[in-house]
């Protein structure tokens, strides 16, 4: 009887080991799938950010190409104002491209999570701080624009100034929304990295 009990216990132990090995395998497969899904979601967020930045850059290039015609001919503003406007837009574009380079080439499927987190955190911080640079510059530009219009033709000041204010508000709201979306997507990528690291 005692041998039979030992045999049953050994069989139960073997079955439990087999079930444990099977559960470990299932858990391992589930974790690999979860890891892959999270990395794909991070790559999707990265593509969303790239798409937004590309659209903004394309609009910036179109704006830079039309500034001499629109400001010089329509509004008769000074050359200094046009040059400052072009330099301001060029500087913003160059900074955006520089900030984007390291982030754009990050491959979440194979990236080391610590390095990826550092790159995304740096990218997020830059975009989160962008309004601290952009808003004062935009206010300075708008005031100078209104001054230029006032000097060129006093009777058109209110019409052109109103148009500039409305355009500036619309552009500002769109820019703020895009900036917040980029920062939000970067936060989601960082959350995904944190989840994978745990």
């Amino acid at each position: 009887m005692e041998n039979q009990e030992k045999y049953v216990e050994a069989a139960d132990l073997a079955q439990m080991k087999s079930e444990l090995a099977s559960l470990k395998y299932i858990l391992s497969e589930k974790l690999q799938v979860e890891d892959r899904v999270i990395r794909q979601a991070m790559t999707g967020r990265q593509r969303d950010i790239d798409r937004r930045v590309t659209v903004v850059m394309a609009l910036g290039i179109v704006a830079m190409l039309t500034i001499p015609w629109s400001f010089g001919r329509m509004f008769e503003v000074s050359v200094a104002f046009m040059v400052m406007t072009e330099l301001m837009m060029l500087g913003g574009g160059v900074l955006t491209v520089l900030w984007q380079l390291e982030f754009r080439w990050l491959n979440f499927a194979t990236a080391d999570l610590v390095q990826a987190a550092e790159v995304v955190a740096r990218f997020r911080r830059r975009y989160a701080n962008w309004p601290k640079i952009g808003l004062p510059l935009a206010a300075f530009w708008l005031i100078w624009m209104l001054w230029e219009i006032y000097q060129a033709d006093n009777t058109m000041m209110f019409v052109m100034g109103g148009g500039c204010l409305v355009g500036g508000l619309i552009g500002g709201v769109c820019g703020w929304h895009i900036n917040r979306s980029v920062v939000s997507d970067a936060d989601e990528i960082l959350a995904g990295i944190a989840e994978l690291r745990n």
Side-chain angles (χ1 to χ4, degrees):
M1 190 81 170
E2 193 174 302
N3 284 339
Q4 189 177 8
E5 287 178 15
K6 286 183 182 180
Y7 177 74
V8 170
E9 286 178 15
D12 287 344
L13 185 60
Q15 182 180 0
M16 289 173 60
K17 284 182 179 180
S18 172
E19 289 175 3
L20 185 60
S22 177
L23 288 173
K24 283 183 180 179
Y25 176 77
I26 290 170
L27 181 61
S28 171
E29 288 295 313
K30 184 177 178 183
L31 289 176
Q32 287 177 2
V33 169
E34 185 177 310
D35 180 82
R36 192 171 35 248
V37 168
I38 291 172
R39 287 178 186 264
Q40 286 173 348
M42 291 188 306
T43 301
R45 291 291 180 197
Q46 182 184 33
R47 281 192 214 115
D48 290 345
I49 291 170
D50 283 343
R51 198 172 11 261
R52 282 188 201 101
V53 170
T54 300
V55 167
V56 169
M57 292 300 292
L59 290 173
I61 290 169
V62 169
M64 286 182 70
L65 294 173
T66 60
I67 283 173
W69 175 79
S70 62
F71 286 172
R73 294 183 140 224
M74 289 176 60
F75 301 144
E76 299 176 9
V77 297
S78 68
V79 173
F81 179 74
M82 286 190 293
V83 168
M84 188 279 308
T85 301
E86 292 279 352
L87 289 175
M88 189 173 79
M89 293 183 76
L90 182 64
V94 167
L95 280 177
T96 299
V97 168
L98 289 176
W99 292 350
Q100 190 77 5
L101 282 177
E102 186 180 26
F103 176 76
R104 174 173 269 177
W105 298 114
L106 191 59
N107 183 356
F108 288 109
T110 59
D112 173 56
L113 295 178
V114 173
Q115 290 176 340
E118 289 172 1
V119 169
V120 175
R122 190 169 33 252
F123 175 81
R124 185 213 176 277
R125 185 175 55 253
R126 289 171 178 163
Y127 266 86
N129 290 332
W130 186 242
K132 294 175 186 174
I133 300 166
L135 291 177
L137 279 175
F140 172 73
W141 180 86
L142 189 59
I143 291 168
W144 192 356
M145 175 69 171
L146 292 173
W147 178 251
E148 290 281 338
I149 291 170
Y150 176 75
Q151 287 182 327
D153 184 351
N154 197 348
T155 59
M156 290 297 290
M157 181 190 125
F158 293 108
V159 174
M160 299 311 293
C164 286
L165 287 174
V166 169
L169 285 173
I170 291 170
V173 167
C174 290
W176 184 262
H177 174 71
I178 290 170
N179 183 275
R180 293 293 98 201
S181 296
V182 167
V183 170
S184 174
D185 283 347
D187 285 340
E188 289 185 28
I189 291 171
L190 287 171
I193 291 171
E195 187 174 333
L196 286 175
R197 289 174 68 186
N198 291 333

